[in-house]
Amino acid sequence: DGLWAVLFWLNILAVRGLLASFIPQGLAGWEFDGVLDVGFEGGSSPSRKGVWEYSGELTMSQIKFNDPSFTTAGDGLQPLAKIKVTYEPAKGMLVWAGSVELSQGESLWKDFYISWSKQPLSADIAGQFSRAAMSVDGLTVRVVLPTLGELHAGGSVRLGRPPSFRFQAGARLNLEP
């Protein structure tokens, strides 16, 4: 059994300075700041022989950004992203699940203002890849804004010749007069 873990944090402003020559010209005038906390762990499963398990978490705090004209901006954002992956080499099966949450801070996109504490966002995605079938099955996506409603989609993708896909989507909206 071999488990490992990696934890670190990054100051966005400092990283931006290091990567300045790689920033696309269209983002050169934008301002960014905040802190990223990153954690990953994984290795062979102690409870399931021949299975590898990995998980990761990206926590952002004090995130703020704006374009030069300040028509697109964010302040006090604290998004959280998580992923969990299980790989069974003998079966050629890769199963994953991930989530994103944003419940603090505020954003402005031209004329649209969003207070994430009043309109929190959560999103989940999951699925499994089979190497033998060359397919992604059980693909599900769910996006929830509690005061507005929920969007959900699911389906499968076959990567063979010819490739094919099947998707269905729906929404449950909280619309009131």
Side-chain angles (χ1 to χ4, degrees):
D1 294 332
L3 296 175
W4 52 267
V6 176
L7 303 170
F8 59 93
W9 67 269
L10 298 170
N11 178 291
I12 294 174
L13 204 52
V15 171
R16 181 185 168 122
L18 291 172
L19 301 176
S21 62
F22 298 102
I23 295 175
Q25 185 62 33
L27 294 177
W30 284 60
E31 294 182 25
F32 297 94
D33 200 4
V35 177
L36 305 177
D37 290 312
V38 181
F40 291 103
E41 63 182 24
S44 59
S45 172
S47 61
R48 298 171 59 199
K49 188 172 175 105
V51 175
W52 293 82
E53 296 176 337
Y54 304 94
S55 63
E57 185 170 306
L58 174 65
T59 306
M60 298 177 232
S61 59
Q62 305 164 17
I63 300 296
K64 59 183 175 179
F65 64 89
N66 63 273
D67 68 353
S69 65
F70 225 92
T71 56
T72 302
D75 190 31
L77 302 172
Q78 302 221 28
L80 169 65
K82 296 180 181 181
I83 189 164
K84 182 171 182 165
V85 177
T86 302
Y87 178 55
E88 295 183 59
K91 293 182 179 179
M93 187 68 67
L94 181 75
V95 179
W96 74 89
S99 65
V100 174
E101 296 174 8
L102 181 55
S103 61
Q104 292 183 22
E106 53 193 7
S107 297
L108 174 69
W109 287 289
K110 306 229 183 250
D111 294 331
F112 296 100
Y113 167 81
I114 298 174
S115 170
W116 295 108
S117 60
K118 294 178 183 173
Q119 302 284 339
L121 167 75
S122 67
D124 301 300
I125 185 168
Q128 60 186 31
F129 172 75
S130 168
R131 188 176 57 224
M134 288 302 292
S135 66
V136 177
D137 292 302
L139 183 60
T140 59
V141 177
R142 190 176 123 239
V143 178
V144 178
L145 287 158
T147 57
L148 298 177
E150 175 181 323
L151 302 173
H152 51 88
S156 61
V157 177
R158 303 276 180 258
L159 303 173
R161 299 258 185 238
S164 65
F165 62 92
R166 179 183 55 83
F167 287 104
Q168 63 279 347
R172 188 173 35 229
L173 302 175
N174 301 327
L175 300 177
E176 297 179 14

